[in-house]
Amino acid sequence: MLLVVKLGGSAVTDKARPFLFKEQRAELFARELARVLEAGSKAVVVHGGGSFGHPVASKYRLHEGGLTREKLLGFAETRYWMNELNQRIVSVLLRHGIPAVAVQTSAIALMEGGSLRELSTAPVERLLGMGLVPVLYGDVVPDLSRGVAILSGDMIAVHLACALRASALVFLVGSGGVYSKPPGTPGAYLVRELGEEDMVDVGESRGVDVTGGLRQKLECAFKAARCGARVAIGGVEHLWEMALGVDAPYTRIRASRE
Ligand SMILES: Nc1ncnc2c1ncn2[C@@H]1O[C@H](COP(=O)(O)OP(=O)(O)OP(=O)(O)O)[C@@H](O)[C@H]1O
Ligand SMILES: [Mg+2]
């Protein structure tokens, strides 16, 4: 069994506070992932930008493209901070005995017109075959027509889940799942099962998000479900249950019937 985990920036950073890494949440993630691996599964991790990537990308408006000197500085600075967050996450995984290896996304991806043009999966497959746990991340990547673009971790996760025929794709988020209304709003409840035809009131992300927040994530989730993966969105503490399809308080994504 292959699991693809999108470790949301909202799960391991405080998106409203630049460069704040939630070490304890990352450790909980590592413990849960270790349990999944012990059960005989292989796993690929893709993490998001959180408060390391989004504020820098937003400052230089990299999501709008461009190729000026300023944009190139923004590209380099965003890459630097994504690498920093990646190191923190990989370091926690290593401390928990997980053979995690960083895979720099912008070195294996190209975009065109804001869409993913290619993402080499062969190196990732080989690392998996060797028994390693590749750790990719949402990143700035070259865009053949726009100059630069942001490739979200959510998009990478779906691409990998479909290309590698993963049995499960789990999105970990700080809110612990999808709520009927933005978390914290009176009357908001955790939606336990969500189909494409169901309506939820999606609010703003906490802090900055240059890749479309929860709305984009849901589109990615439905796409992966159509590829045949079991898809769930929930909190770090329920990773094991989500990976194995065991019931717990998280949001299960229902594949459309077509
Ligand atoms: N109805 C809703 N249910 C759940 N979360 C919601 C809802 N409306 C808004 N949100 C916000 O969406 C966030 C998840 O999307 P967001 O893109 O901010 O996080 P992420 O993808 O984990 O981060 P990153 O993009 O850095 O990886 C939640 O943590 C919450 O703040
Ligand atoms: Mg996001």
Side-chain angles (χ1 to χ4, degrees):
M1 168 184 148
L2 173 66
L3 166 72
V4 177
V5 192
K6 160 67 194 322
L7 175 61
S10 65
V12 286
T13 74
D14 182 341
K15 289 185 72 165
R17 297 171 66 186
F19 313 115
L20 196 141
F21 182 59
K22 294 181 171 173
E23 186 97 21
Q24 285 176 358
R25 298 303 287 173
E27 297 209 338
L28 182 54
F29 164 68
R31 286 198 292 277
E32 287 281 310
L33 184 62
R35 284 178 73 198
V36 174
L37 296 171
E38 273 160 28
S41 179
K42 290 185 177 293
V44 182
V45 176
V46 182
H47 66 79
S51 70
F52 285 64
H54 291 284
V56 187
S58 167
K59 178 177 145 199
Y60 291 95
R61 307 181 77 84
L62 297 182
H63 50 293
E64 294 171 2
L67 211 51
T68 59
R69 189 178 150 69
E70 184 76 0
K71 292 279 179 179
L72 296 181
L73 277 172
F75 186 100
E77 206 179 302
T78 307
R79 283 249 56 269
Y80 173 87
W81 284 111
M82 284 311 301
N83 194 47
E84 180 80 21
L85 177 59
N86 180 257
Q87 287 276 88
R88 303 258 189 119
I89 292 169
V90 169
S91 154
V92 173
L93 294 174
L94 289 176
R95 283 209 301 276
H96 284 77
I98 296 171
V101 281
V103 175
Q104 191 202 309
T105 304
S106 68
I108 59 163
L110 277 180
M111 291 177 82
E112 185 162 15
S115 300
L116 184 59
R117 186 182 147 126
E118 61 179 84
L119 179 71
S120 314
T121 49
V124 177
E125 271 181 287
R126 184 65 199 136
L127 295 171
L128 276 169
M130 292 164 68
L132 295 161
V133 175
V135 184
L136 291 84
Y137 46 99
D139 206 358
V140 275
V141 300
D143 186 300
L144 298 181
S145 57
R146 294 186 186 171
V148 301
I150 307 280
L151 175 56
S152 76
D154 294 346
M155 270 173 72
I156 299 168
V158 176
H159 182 87
L160 290 176
C162 292
L164 306 180
R165 301 190 173 282
S167 25
L169 168 58
V170 170
F171 292 92
L172 301 176
V173 286
S175 56
V178 180
Y179 281 75
S180 56
K181 301 179 196 178
T185 311
Y189 60 85
L190 179 70
V191 177
R192 297 293 293 267
E193 193 181 288
L194 188 69
E196 278 189 73
E197 59 287 354
D198 300 334
M199 299 289 288
V200 284
D201 180 1
V202 174
E204 294 292 309
S205 290
R206 183 176 148 78
V208 194
D209 192 293
V210 292
T211 51
L214 184 68
R215 191 164 298 284
Q216 273 292 112
K217 190 184 304 296
L218 291 178
E219 274 180 30
C220 289
F222 292 128
K223 192 171 165 197
R226 288 197 294 270
C227 284
R230 185 156 33 75
V231 184
I233 304 178
V236 165
E237 62 279 18
H238 295 304
L239 170 58
W240 184 84
E241 286 103 325
M242 287 190 273
L244 279 89
V246 175
D247 194 38
Y250 60 80
T251 306
R252 202 167 70 79
I253 298 294
R254 194 173 57 236
S256 68
R257 279 179 211 97
E258 36 147 73

